[in-house]
């Protein structure tokens, strides 16, 4: 699933076009595949939290936990499937809210029905965001995420 922050339309489209023609940078949308599911198609349990500070790292209940840094422009924030069929709106980023964020990505159950179509969620994802200066990607916890079924003996 992609995480998207779509900038607001400019208040003055003509001035924005003129600025663009002068080579002045405009706010670009942020679109990044942030949640990787194991299922081919079907629902997943996705929880998104916007926090005021860095949270503690959970010690159990997750198979994978990773952190990345992102720069949020002002705009509408949402998760969407690559097909664009479903969207999970998480609000807007305005004024002092734009800038550098850290995202902690939690996942469990991605091997349960790998590359299958499911009718009900078999995997859980938690995405937490908080403001923080950029830093390198960090892996807190990782397990084998099977991309292919195991071979029979």
């Amino acid at each position: 699933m992609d995480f998207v922050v779509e900038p607001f339309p400019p208040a003055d489209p003509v001035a924005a076009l003129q600025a663009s023609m002068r080579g002045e940078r405009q706010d670009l949308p942020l679109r990044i595949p942030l949640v990787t599911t194991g299922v081919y198609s079907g629902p997943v349990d996705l929880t998104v939290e916007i926090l005021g500070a860095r949270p503690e790292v959970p010690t159990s209940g997750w198979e994978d936990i990773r952190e990345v840094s992102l720069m949020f422009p002002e705009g509408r924030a949402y998760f969407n499937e690559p097909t664009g069929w479903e969207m999970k709106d998480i609000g807007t980023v305005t004024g002092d809210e734009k800038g550098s964020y850290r995202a902690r990505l939690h996942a469990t159950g991605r091997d349960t029905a790998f590359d299958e179509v499911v009718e009900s969620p078999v995997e859980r994802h938690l995405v937490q965001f908080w403001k923080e200066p950029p830093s390198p990607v960090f892996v807190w916890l990782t397990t084998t995420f099977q991309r292919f079924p195991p071979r029979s003996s």
Side-chain angles (χ1 to χ4, degrees):
M1 284 187 251
D2 293 337
F3 174 65
V4 181
V5 180
E6 201 171 88
F8 299 121
D12 184 347
V14 173
L17 177 60
Q18 291 169 340
S20 177
M21 292 172 62
R22 290 191 303 267
E24 295 173 8
R25 183 165 178 206
Q26 303 294 309
D27 275 336
L28 300 174
L30 170 68
R31 180 178 301 272
I32 185 166
L34 210 53
V35 174
T36 303
T37 63
V39 298
Y40 175 78
S41 178
V44 297
D45 181 1
L46 172 64
T47 302
V48 179
E49 298 176 346
I50 312 298
L51 307 172
R54 172 180 280 279
E56 295 293 321
V57 178
T59 56
S60 64
W62 298 101
E63 296 169 345
D64 293 285
I65 304 173
R66 299 164 189 262
E67 282 186 19
V68 298
S69 291
L70 303 168
M71 290 298 286
F72 288 12
E74 286 187 287
R76 178 176 168 229
Y78 58 91
F79 278 88
N80 75 339
E81 295 179 356
T83 59
W85 290 354
E86 288 191 45
M87 186 169 50
K88 181 175 179 87
D89 194 20
I90 62 172
T92 58
V93 179
T94 59
D96 291 341
E97 295 171 335
K98 72 179 182 178
S100 178
Y101 280 78
R102 195 72 173 159
R104 186 174 297 153
L105 316 166
H106 307 70
T108 192
R110 292 189 294 178
D111 289 336
T112 304
F114 182 76
D115 212 19
E116 294 179 23
V117 176
V118 297
E119 297 295 321
S120 59
V122 296
E123 57 187 90
R124 281 186 314 126
H125 297 269
L126 168 63
V127 180
Q128 297 173 309
F129 295 108
W130 65 93
K131 283 198 95 162
E132 186 174 288
S135 58
V137 171
F138 189 80
V139 177
W140 287 100
L141 175 67
T142 189
T143 61
T144 302
F145 175 49
Q146 290 184 354
R147 299 214 178 266
F148 304 99
R151 291 183 147 179
S152 302
S153 303

